[in-house]
Amino acid sequence: MKTAVFLAGAASLATHVLGHATFQELWGGTCARLPTSNNPVQDVTSKDIRCNANQGVAASKCSVKAGATVTVEMHQQPNDRSCSNEAIGGAHYGPVLVYLSKVSDASTADGSSSFFKIFEDTWAKASSTSQGSDDYWGTKDLNKNCGKMDVKIPSDVAPGDYLLRAEAIALHAASSAGGAQFYITCFQLTVTGGGSAAPAGVSFPGAYKAADPGIQINIYQQLSSYKAPGPAVVEGGTEAVAGKAGSVATASGGASPPSATKVVASSTLATAVKPATSSSSGGGCAAVAKYQQCGGGDFTGCSACASGSTCVKLNEYYSQCQ
């Protein structure tokens, strides 16, 4: 059965993220708390960092077996499942992180409960001379796999209701404080089976600080390491290998994840705005939508922003319509 949400069950897919984007519904149900726009959250001290801004409760809950693999899916626009567009564009490179929070009722929980991390696809070096923007990232994996990312629900978590918090962090303008962009959606789940594990978690806001090394970072230089924000992945969770799209991720602790029932679910982490056409850009070039790249470094795309926004230089490598 398919559920219309950000999760989907395909155990061997990796994911990539593009510019502004938004999580869609899980396949087989309508359990995603969809935000009203694909704009990012940028204030880590705001309550919006929990499940995104201007989102209400979902229409229902999605039932998922402990130990099953769900697939989150991100696209630029709501209900856009096309693979011809990047899932998240505009050189929005960064990690993809997924958390769970045990709650009494997923349909009413406000996200103030603690979250534990069950999945991350972060960064890997591309070559000895590559700079960070040319390296492998979780969002690049999303783009390679038509916006899909497989996430295993730990097999030992206690049964009951949970909020699943899916997040892609864009670091293209993160060299200064407040520049990182967080694309978030929470899903209302009911987990069946499982065990009795109740991992310790963190609270949002509070888990992230604007100056955390995985949040305030210049990715336009050579990187020797990357530390994802937030806590470590819990035992039984998954640490995917960035750049290994299509391979089976390695479970935390070195063990291979067990085979799992594939629960299909589709949701957009973040939705990128499609640029509107405008004669002001000249030469048949489409006007650049708000929050999309309009200049910087070796950028060769359109530089004229859509009406109501201006191309602003964020650093020497990246300019964005704001």
Side-chain angles (χ1 to χ4, degrees), residues 78-100:
N79 302 314
D80 175 14
R81 307 296 304 286
S82 172
C83 296
S84 61
N85 301 320
E86 288 186 301
I88 180 168
H92 284 32
Y93 306 140
V96 176
L97 313 173
V98 180
Y99 295 79
L100 281 180

Side-chain angles (χ1 to χ4, degrees), residues 198-250:
V202 294
S203 296
F204 291 95
Y208 297 168
K209 292 181 173 58
D212 283 348
I215 293 176
Q216 185 175 345
I217 179 175
N218 177 10
I219 64 170
Y220 302 101
Q221 61 180 341
Q222 286 195 19
L223 301 180
S224 58
S225 64
Y226 175 78
K227 178 175 174 54
V233 173
V234 298
E235 184 176 353
T238 302
E239 295 178 352
V241 179
K244 299 294 184 180
S247 66
V248 177
T250 302

Side-chain angles (χ1 to χ4, degrees), residues 6 23-24 27 72-75 81 147-148 266-269:
F6 172 36
F23 282 102
Q24 315 274 349
W27 287 106
V72 296
E73 184 171 351
M74 169 183 275
H75 292 284
R81 307 296 304 286
K148 298 180 181 68
S266 156
S267 150
T268 33
L269 264 82

Side-chain angles (χ1 to χ4, degrees), residues 100-103 106 116 157-164 187-189 191:
L100 281 180
S101 177
K102 184 76 165 61
V103 296
F116 55 94
V157 296
D161 277 15
Y162 287 82
L163 289 181
L164 183 147
F187 301 86
Q188 299 173 180
L189 304 185
V191 175

Side-chain angles (χ1 to χ4, degrees), residues 29-135:
T30 52
C31 56
R33 296 182 174 184
L34 299 177
T36 55
S37 79
N38 62 358
N39 292 341
V41 175
Q42 292 187 258
D43 182 0
V44 296
T45 67
S46 166
K47 289 183 179 180
D48 293 342
I49 200 69
R50 293 173 179 170
C51 292
N52 209 329
N54 302 315
Q55 51 80 37
V57 297
S60 63
K61 304 174 190 178
C62 289
S63 180
V64 179
K65 257 189 168 182
T69 296
V70 297
T71 300
V72 296
E73 184 171 351
M74 169 183 275
H75 292 284
Q76 297 185 35
Q77 298 290 349
N79 302 314
D80 175 14
R81 307 296 304 286
S82 172
C83 296
S84 61
N85 301 320
E86 288 186 301
I88 180 168
H92 284 32
Y93 306 140
V96 176
L97 313 173
V98 180
Y99 295 79
L100 281 180
S101 177
K102 184 76 165 61
V103 296
S104 58
D105 186 349
S107 65
T108 60
D110 64 2
S112 60
S113 51
S114 64
F115 286 81
F116 55 94
K117 188 186 291 182
I118 64 168
F119 175 91
E120 62 181 31
D121 181 352
T122 61
W123 167 90
K125 192 74 175 170
S127 74
S128 60
T129 59
S130 61
Q131 64 176 16
S133 59
D134 295 321
D135 290 336

